Amino acid sequence: MKKRYLILLLYLVFLMLPLYWMVNMSLKTTAETLSMFSLVPREPTLNNYRVIFTDPAWYHGYLNSIYYVSLNTVLSLLVALPAAYAFSRFRFLGDKHLFFWLLTNRMAPPAVFLLPFFQLYSSVGLFDTHIAVALAHMLFNVPLAVWILEGFMSGVPREIDETAYLDGYSFPRFFITIFLPLIRAGIGVTAFFCFMFSWVELLLARTLTSVEAKPIAAVMTRTVSASGLDWGVLTAAGVLTLVPGALVIWFVRNHIAKGFALGRV
Amino acid sequence: MDDKPINQKAWFLVLPVVVTVAFSAVVPLMTVVNYSVQDIFDPHTRYFVGTEWFEQILHDSRLHGALVRQFVFSLSVLLIEIPLGIGIALTMPRRGRWVSVCLVLLALPLLVPWNVVGTIWQIFARPDIGLLGRAVNALGIPYNYTGDPTDAWVTVLVMDVWHWTSLVVLLCYAGLQAIPDAFYQAARIDGASRWAVFRYIELPKLRGVLMIAILLRFMDSFMIYAEPFVLTGGGPGSATTFLSQLLTTMAVGQFDLGPAAAFSLIYFLIILLFSYVFYTALTHLGRGANR
């Protein structure tokens, strides 16, 4: 029993060490980082964070990212919910092919779509908008959302649908007032995945934006190459990119394990 | 599962997904196909060149190198992360307040933007300012991931294990949670060994989640881009240049549209083929065992 937890503990330490090192560096001045090696900051400073919170170029990056990620999560769920219901409840012409076709989009490497995306969104006037990034990320998030939600919905007995229709519920009313509350956990898990994959993606987000909708991850790469390496500010920005994700995990922590289990197992 | 009623009206429910995904998938894909068979000088001057780009790219040694590296990398990723993920999931506590703490800590690496993962490992592994780099060198093992191809390769692999094993753990943990206690009690009465419990109770129940885990890890490791790009820039030499990075260099850096488009199609087809094989193999496996 003890040995078991020791392994787990060692693994968690392995996960946390690189993160600790980043936090450690973000609390030092760049000069201190480069001049001496220390496990804890000698003179802890919040200056690096102050730079980020006072410079619009930095904090707009965060706002842009949060904006398009939220937009993507909401849109993905909205289109995926009815589709997942259709896949879980009915057979229709070409359903299996359609399902696999959707999954193939999750398999497409973003690098393949880089140039065409740039041209497509430029030609419809969406370049450098939040909606463009949200739409582009739907390419891989919608298939995943349909996949996960379909699993959850198949776990709900079909008798519930039939009883509701016999009671005179219309489809939209049944779907919203009865069915959606039943798969709350599934929606939570799906939202978590949509948020996660959109938040961490860089290649498409960077290609489809230049100024107005520039994501924080791209702001970071540009700063690295332009002004030399300011390790302090760079790591502080890195630490701050962890915050939204950590908040989301905290909210869905009880759903994650239960959610997966109800889903595609 | 096959007693679902046939209802063609279900297409209306699927339509929004088809339209949104088609906009972002079919149009760009056709553009790529278009590029792959034409030589384009400017938007008004283009020639049909047939399969020339495909022939050129198939004989490109850079592609061969990247392809081999990519397969070795994806295979290593699966071989390390799947068993490790199952193992860690087995060590997790089943209930109690530590469950939430473990889950949150485990999920943390998954929520780090991919280029930040590169940055984290860069500062962690650098021989001058990094904890790992310093520690390994202090142990007397020469280590410099920017100069030595083997070190760079190992660093990228360890980084991916750090980044993605948690996904396998979370999936497996959820699968384990779904096993009713009665199964374990029956095994105890039968005097089953720990290994027998794992082999005949836990592993079969994990098949569903393992299928998702293997598929996701294969697809994602096969298109890895941002992490090695930030960490090593594909170097030293081209030791850690994987397919996505080579493609991006060709398409955006050198603007070789034709060859890049042909490359894209070949790349996409490889992923598609392998994922399809995994997908069918694993669904058939699951069906055979459950019923």
Side-chain angles (χ1 to χ4, degrees):
Chain A
M1 225 31 167
K2 289 251 172 65
K3 211 169 79 188
R4 215 179 92 176
Y5 290 127
L6 192 67
I7 296 172
L8 181 63
L9 194 69
L10 280 178
Y11 182 71
L12 289 177
V13 169
F14 164 66
L15 286 189
M16 289 306 121
L17 266 184
L19 293 178
Y20 166 72
W21 197 245
M22 180 166 71
V23 175
N24 178 22
M25 271 175 76
S26 74
L27 295 172
K28 298 179 190 175
T29 58
T30 302
E32 188 187 338
T33 297
L34 293 176
S35 63
M36 58 181 135
F37 184 83
S38 56
L39 290 176
V40 284
R42 296 275 163 83
E43 293 158 17
T45 168
L46 288 174
N47 256 335
N48 299 321
Y49 290 93
R50 201 167 297 133
V51 169
I52 290 171
F53 282 115
T54 50
D55 184 354
W58 277 107
Y59 64 75
H60 276 167
Y62 286 100
L63 297 178
N64 287 337
S65 289
I66 290 174
Y67 185 34
Y68 73 70
V69 169
S70 314
L71 201 61
N72 168 272
T73 308
V74 172
L75 287 177
S76 298
L77 278 176
L78 277 183
V79 298
L81 278 167
Y85 183 78
F87 281 119
S88 92
R89 288 299 192 259
F90 305 116
R91 282 199 296 152
F92 48 95
L93 196 66
D95 53 353
K96 293 208 173 65
H97 300 285
L98 190 64
F99 198 72
F100 190 74
W101 173 72
L102 280 177
L103 276 184
T104 61
N105 292 303
R106 178 65 181 70
M107 299 165 193
V112 167
F113 287 141
L114 215 54
L115 265 179
F117 263 8
F118 175 75
Q119 293 171 329
L120 174 67
Y121 285 101
S122 303
S123 68
V124 292
L126 285 176
F127 179 70
D128 202 17
T129 58
H130 300 94
I131 188 83
V133 184
L135 275 177
H137 284 177
M138 280 173 81
L139 177 69
F140 49 81
N141 268 348
V142 167
L144 193 70
V146 173
W147 198 20
I148 299 175
L149 283 172
E150 196 264 340
F152 279 96
M153 290 179 176
S154 297
V156 178
R158 209 175 306 145
E159 285 74 23
I160 291 182
D161 306 29
E162 283 151 16
T163 319
Y165 294 139
L166 285 179
D167 286 349
Y169 277 83
S170 65
F171 173 71
R173 186 148 161 255
F174 154 74
F175 197 70
I176 292 162
T177 61
I178 298 180
F179 197 70
L180 290 189
L182 280 176
I183 53 159
R184 267 199 320 269
I187 296 175
V189 172
T190 314
F192 168 75
F193 271 98
C194 290
F195 184 94
M196 171 183 136
F197 280 111
S198 181
W199 177 255
V200 297
E201 207 278 339
L202 167 74
L203 197 53
L204 291 177
R206 191 182 63 189
T207 311
L208 292 177
T209 56
S210 63
V211 184
E212 290 299 314
K214 199 175 176 58
I216 179 59
V219 177
M220 282 178 71
T221 54
R222 174 174 281 185
T223 310
V224 175
S225 54
S227 61
L229 288 176
D230 189 346
W231 292 111
V233 178
L234 180 71
T235 48
V239 172
L240 289 176
T241 60
L242 298 180
V243 175
L247 284 179
V248 171
I249 306 177
W250 186 253
F251 282 124
V252 299
R253 69 186 186 285
N254 291 324
H255 286 303
I256 292 181
K258 196 171 65 185
F260 278 130
L262 289 170
R264 309 230 40 123
V265 183
Chain B
M1 289 300 267
D2 282 314
D3 54 347
K4 286 188 271 190
I6 296 175
N7 184 347
Q8 304 299 351
K9 280 189 206 138
W11 263 100
F12 288 109
L13 295 173
V14 190
L15 205 61
V17 162
V18 175
V19 171
T20 42
V21 175
F23 175 73
S24 294
V26 177
V27 179
L29 195 62
M30 288 326 291
T31 318
V32 174
V33 172
N34 208 358
Y35 285 158
S36 70
V37 291
Q38 296 191 68
D39 196 353
I40 299 172
F41 294 104
D42 64 65
H44 306 289
T45 326
R46 45 180 73 196
Y47 300 100
F48 183 78
V49 294
T51 57
E52 193 186 310
W53 297 133
F54 286 93
E55 280 159 32
Q56 183 188 330
I57 200 75
L58 280 174
H59 293 107
D60 191 329
S61 59
R62 286 179 304 167
L63 175 72
H64 299 164
L67 195 61
V68 171
R69 277 192 291 275
Q70 185 72 69
F71 269 111
V72 174
F73 179 74
S74 289
L75 202 66
S76 319
V77 160
L78 285 180
L79 283 179
I80 297 176
E81 291 180 13
I82 300 292
L84 182 64
I86 299 175
I88 298 295
L90 287 171
T91 67
M92 292 259 300
R94 290 295 155 83
R95 49 185 73 83
R97 62 199 155 116
W98 291 106
V99 173
S100 298
V101 178
C102 287
L103 285 179
V104 171
L105 290 182
L106 277 170
L108 215 47
L110 298 174
L111 267 303
V112 184
W114 293 345
N115 64 318
V116 180
V117 171
T119 310
I120 289 176
W121 277 84
Q122 196 183 17
I123 58 174
F124 190 57
R126 271 173 68 121
D128 53 346
I129 57 172
L131 184 60
L132 179 73
R134 281 259 179 164
V136 174
N137 278 317
L139 289 174
I141 306 163
Y143 168 82
N144 181 359
Y145 76 87
T146 51
D148 184 83
T150 318
D151 291 350
W153 176 266
V154 171
T155 312
V156 172
L157 194 59
V158 173
M159 174 174 70
D160 198 80
V161 170
W162 178 86
H163 189 185
W164 284 111
T165 306
S166 296
L167 184 75
V168 185
V169 176
L170 289 180
L171 284 164
C172 289
Y173 180 68
L176 289 173
Q177 290 287 70
I179 302 175
D181 276 342
F183 282 50
Y184 291 108
Q185 281 155 13
R188 207 173 304 132
I189 292 167
D190 289 347
S193 66
R194 183 71 193 84
W195 169 251
V197 170
F198 174 71
R199 174 66 188 81
Y200 295 106
I201 298 179
E202 289 169 336
L203 200 56
K205 284 284 175 189
L206 285 181
R207 189 176 285 113
V209 280
L210 279 181
M211 167 185 147
I212 304 180
I214 293 174
L215 256 181
L216 281 179
R217 280 318 299 132
F218 172 77
M219 298 187 302
D220 289 342
S221 66
F222 215 80
M223 23 175 146
I224 188 168
Y225 171 76
E227 301 97 314
F229 176 71
V230 176
L231 182 67
T232 63
S238 55
T240 51
T241 303
F242 299 113
L243 287 173
S244 272
Q245 195 176 339
L246 182 60
L247 176 58
T248 319
T249 318
M250 280 174 72
V252 183
Q254 302 160 352
F255 224 68
D256 288 337
L257 284 186
F263 183 173
S264 299
L265 289 179
I266 296 168
Y267 187 8
F268 192 18
L269 281 179
I270 294 175
I271 294 201
L272 217 55
L273 181 71
F274 275 85
S275 299
Y276 184 74
V277 170
F278 277 135
Y279 183 76
T280 33
L282 288 161
T283 31
H284 280 272
L285 204 73
R287 234 170 248 147
N290 283 340
R291 296 195 177 108

